[in-house]
Amino acid sequence: MKHIHILIKPASSLCNLRCKYCFYADVSSLREVRSYGKMKAETSEKMIANVFYDLDDGDELTLTFQGGEPTLAGLNYFKYIVACVAQQPKHVGVHYALQTNGIVINEQWCRFLKENNFLIGLSIDGLPMYHDLNRVDTHGRGTFQRVLKTKTLFDRYQIDYNVLCVLTNPLAKEAKKVFEFIKTQNIKFIQFIPCLDELEATSRSGYALTPQRFALFYKNLLQLWLDELESGHYISIKLFDDLYNLFVRKQVTACGLTGNCTVQYVIEADGSVYPCDFFVLDQYRLGYIQDQTLKELFEQDSAKNFIFEKQVLPEYCNSCPFKQYCCGGCKRMKDAIYVNKAGNYCGYQELLKLYVPQIQRIIDYAQTASITQTA
């Protein structure tokens, strides 16, 4: 039985916000075509048909919609996708997910999302001041209160959601305040996304996370999380869950966690297919989903070369006690999390030095607080 995960960008890089650190705005600016607009109905129909071509009865399929801002494709687009899936003759378990800034979500959207069991990733940057500083609309206005209203709607409609928080270098100093915000807002699932520098940056931006700040944030957060877990209250923090799965369950539940790229089926609005969301660039385009199935696209040498490309690890890694578990980590996040430019410090190693000795304690607490890995 296969479980295939596909990331779809139905509105390409179109967005109703102007987040100051947006990695996809940077990626799309390096392409010949910055935005492919909204996915056309015929592209959507052919995409679903070719995705199902490689599936068998009993398989599982997760369709995740991302952007840009995917809701700009319109509610009717998502209704059409669900209808196309329903018309497929194979008995495949289909799961839907949507990553959104929450700006256009209303009750009509919520009814649809609830009826079709969408898992939502809602972007909230931890604290009102930091959110409004970076996540601004086209007029430069902060969006925190508008997003919080969407969160309230999700709570009222009992829609499953995770909070996605971009971890900038300044925000990384505020672990205690962020954790208090999580508890105050009764957030049960949160993922901190490292803020990355531009792909072709010549100097480091003030937003981009450094290995030192990464370690500072997570070391402070770990103790707060453990204290909360000890009291019987489990809050899902994605990286801590991934480490639990890696060291306790021997499962890899995050791409790049062990230094190996895994297959990411990324489909842009024009149907073009790419091996990784960080590299949706012209030189990595594998072809078009309208013309070939996913299996055909990813059997190409270009796809295999990308996925199996080996990193050249810094000298610092050779003496690392966690090298066999990490193997250099995600190559796109190396400057944000792992070995610094000076080659004498690794933020991820510093976190593992604290986390790994706590594993038995975490296992003991897990008897009363269920630890699960979320999408």
Side-chain angles (χ1 to χ4, degrees):
M1 183 182 76
K2 301 184 293 294
H3 192 165
I4 304 297
H5 297 258
I6 298 174
L7 183 64
I8 302 167
K9 296 180 177 290
S12 191
S13 62
L14 298 175
C15 193
N16 48 6
L17 296 189
R18 297 295 180 267
C19 299
K20 296 176 183 177
Y21 50 57
C22 181
F23 92 90
Y24 204 65
D26 171 47
V27 169
S28 62
S29 72
L30 300 175
R31 302 188 306 218
E32 184 176 339
V33 178
R34 186 163 192 153
S35 175
Y36 298 107
K38 299 176 183 179
M39 185 176 284
K40 297 177 180 177
E42 54 266 34
T43 303
S44 303
E45 184 176 357
K46 190 65 176 176
M47 172 182 70
I48 296 301
N50 275 351
V51 166
F52 268 78
Y53 184 86
D54 293 323
L55 298 175
D56 300 306
D57 287 345
D59 286 344
E60 300 284 322
L61 171 67
T62 296
L63 299 176
T64 299
F65 300 90
Q66 194 192 55
E69 174 50 39
T71 59
L72 295 186
L75 183 55
N76 286 337
Y77 166 84
F78 290 93
K79 290 180 177 178
Y80 185 70
I81 288 290
V82 170
C84 287
V85 167
Q87 292 172 2
Q88 302 306 308
K90 294 178 181 176
H91 299 288
V92 172
V94 180
H95 314 277
Y96 297 105
L98 172 70
Q99 297 184 13
T100 179
N101 59 35
I103 298 300
V104 306
I105 299 294
N106 55 24
E107 299 211 22
Q108 186 179 9
W109 272 96
C110 285
R111 286 191 290 270
F112 169 80
L113 296 172
K114 181 63 177 178
E115 287 168 5
N116 292 281
N117 298 311
F118 271 69
L119 173 64
I120 308 300
L122 179 64
S123 294
I124 307 176
D125 274 1
L127 299 171
M129 181 182 75
Y130 288 94
H131 183 107
D132 283 343
L133 178 67
N134 296 317
R135 302 190 65 82
V136 297
D137 63 19
T138 54
H139 300 288
R141 299 172 301 195
T143 57
F144 180 80
Q145 291 302 327
R146 278 178 275 179
V147 178
L148 217 57
K149 288 181 180 178
T150 296
K151 177 186 175 298
T152 301
L153 272 179
F154 288 160
D155 288 332
R156 180 148 61 87
Y157 276 86
Q158 298 182 322
I159 292 170
D160 292 331
Y161 66 92
N162 304 327
V163 167
L164 307 176
C165 175
V166 176
L167 186 61
T168 61
N169 219 41
L171 183 62
K173 296 185 296 183
E174 308 286 2
K176 186 174 182 180
K177 291 181 181 179
V178 170
F179 197 71
E180 286 302 316
F181 174 80
I182 292 169
K183 293 200 296 180
T184 300
Q185 291 295 325
N186 195 29
I187 294 169
K188 297 180 175 64
F189 302 90
I190 188 165
Q191 178 179 357
F192 294 100
I193 302 169
C195 186
L196 304 177
D197 234 333
E198 295 179 352
L199 274 169
E200 298 183 355
T202 55
S203 61
R204 180 173 286 277
S205 77
Y207 309 113
L209 189 65
T210 63
Q212 288 87 346
R213 286 283 177 85
F214 167 85
L216 174 69
F217 178 79
Y218 272 107
K219 286 162 70 175
N220 290 334
L221 193 68
L222 178 62
Q223 188 55 57
L224 296 166
W225 181 73
L226 286 170
D227 291 344
E228 196 72 12
L229 190 58
E230 187 173 14
S231 70
H233 183 210
Y234 164 63
I235 296 172
S236 170
I237 295 175
K238 181 66 162 61
L239 180 56
F240 293 160
D241 290 353
D242 289 332
L243 294 178
Y244 182 88
N245 288 330
L246 178 65
F247 286 100
V248 178
R249 295 174 172 168
K250 311 302 180 185
Q251 299 172 352
V252 178
T253 52
C255 182
L257 191 68
T258 57
N260 297 312
C261 292
T262 56
V263 174
Q264 292 187 40
Y265 302 111
V266 183
I267 304 178
E268 254 284 6
D270 66 337
S272 53
V273 180
Y274 305 82
C276 176
D277 189 33
F278 289 136
F279 297 95
V280 184
L281 298 163
D282 296 338
Q283 60 266 40
Y284 295 107
R285 185 188 301 118
L286 302 178
Y288 294 84
I289 194 64
Q290 306 95 303
D291 304 327
Q292 295 174 278
T293 68
L294 286 175
K295 184 178 180 181
E296 290 170 340
L297 289 164
F298 278 82
E299 283 182 343
Q300 299 175 103
D301 288 341
S302 56
K304 294 177 183 177
N305 291 339
F306 179 88
I307 293 167
F308 295 111
E309 179 185 19
K310 292 296 182 183
Q311 294 192 67
V312 178
L313 300 184
E315 185 70 25
Y316 190 80
C317 295
N318 292 333
S319 60
C320 178
F322 308 107
K323 181 181 177 181
Q324 63 175 323
Y325 296 100
C326 169
C327 301
C330 171
K331 59 187 176 185
R332 181 64 178 95
M333 293 190 183
K334 63 180 186 298
D335 294 333
I337 295 177
Y338 303 101
V339 180
N340 62 0
K341 291 290 188 182
N344 59 8
Y345 182 90
C346 176
Y348 188 61
Q349 182 190 102
E350 289 301 305
L351 171 60
L352 293 186
K353 284 179 180 178
L354 285 182
Y355 185 94
V356 171
Q358 299 291 341
I359 284 178
Q360 188 55 54
R361 183 181 173 195
I362 295 169
I363 292 172
D364 293 340
Y365 295 158
Q367 304 298 320
T368 55
S370 175
I371 293 182
T372 58
Q373 189 272 331
T374 58

